[in-house]
Amino acid sequence: EAQVTQNPRYLITVTGKKLTVTCSQNMNHEYMSWYRQDPGLGLRQIYYSMNVEVTDKGDVPEGYKVSRKEKRNFPLILESPSPNQTSLYFCASSSTRSYNEQFFGPGTRLTVL
Amino acid sequence: AQSVAQPEDQVNVAEGNPLTVKCTYSVSGNPYLFWYVQYPNRGLQFLLKYITGDNLVKGSYGFEAEFNKSQTSFHLKKPSALVSDSALYFCAVRDAYNYGQNFVFGPGTRLSVLP
């Protein structure tokens, strides 16, 4: 089954404790992206990657890091999480054609205390 | 810069009535336009998209959307709403000629279909 998976689905952590949210897709997509969803703000893009070893900032990259060492994986790293990073996070992927829709993972709900 | 507006935070409609969820966009080039739906505790699911051609696009679950270039709109419609259509709907745009550009999403519209 074609899918995007994220882990963990739920995470409660404390300020400053480094964490990684994993994202993996099995569709051989070149393009992958991370979003955060906050009430009233919709989805805002954090980082995206157009292929292996190619990443770029989205609209809200501060406080986040990403890497793309393999085509299928695109982890999101919070080196020192803060409470304002409490949010619902989605990973998405698509093929290189700009007219292709993105496939979304199930989401990771992160709470930073 | 690209932007998407969804002017209504909430749309309420009675079951069996037609529904419309509004979306307007701004993009420098030609737009690729998308609608997604999000059910509670789920990720976003793709509904339909406009790339080129016929301005009326048909998608999943009986939804359709009409592209209007002069009004820069891409409203989502369904002739007869179901209670199960209640969800959060997002419109998104991408510049057709700039693949490096992000997808930009609107803030979302919550649709409630009342029995």
Side-chain angles (χ1 to χ4, degrees), chain B residues 31-32 49-55 57 67:
Chain B
Y32 290 152
K49 64 183 176 185
Y50 171 81
I51 304 302
T52 187
D54 195 346
N55 289 343
V57 178
F67 171 65

Side-chain angles (χ1 to χ4, degrees), chain A:
Chain A
E1 179 188 355
Q3 60 182 349
V4 178
T5 57
Q6 294 178 229
N7 282 293
R9 293 289 312 279
Y10 301 91
L11 180 60
I12 300 174
T13 190
V14 296
T15 298
K17 186 176 182 181
K18 181 179 178 179
L19 66 91
T20 299
V21 184
T22 64
C23 172
S24 183
Q25 50 93 6
N26 62 1
M27 295 167 278
N28 201 35
H29 284 163
E30 294 81 9
Y31 184 94
M32 297 187 74
S33 181
W34 276 103
Y35 296 89
R36 61 178 289 173
Q37 182 181 9
D38 301 290
L41 298 177
L43 275 76
R44 294 179 292 167
Q45 192 171 51
I46 302 170
Y47 270 94
Y48 64 96
S49 169
M50 295 178 68
N51 215 323
V52 176
E53 301 291 2
V54 180
T55 63
D56 208 348
K57 297 177 181 178
D59 297 320
V60 288
E62 293 78 19
Y64 304 94
K65 287 176 57 177
V66 293
S67 68
R68 188 89 181 274
K69 296 186 182 343
E70 304 168 282
K71 196 173 187 179
R72 63 183 292 126
N73 296 324
F74 191 45
L76 179 69
I77 303 158
L78 284 71
E79 293 270 4
S80 183
S82 62
N84 64 11
Q85 293 179 298
T86 293
S87 188
L88 180 59
Y89 291 86
F90 288 103
C91 180
S93 72
S94 71
S95 69
T96 51
R97 306 291 185 192
S98 58
Y99 51 73
N100 279 347
E101 64 273 21
Q102 293 184 97
F103 292 81
F104 281 82
T108 295
R109 187 166 292 282
L110 172 65
T111 301
V112 183
L113 302 175

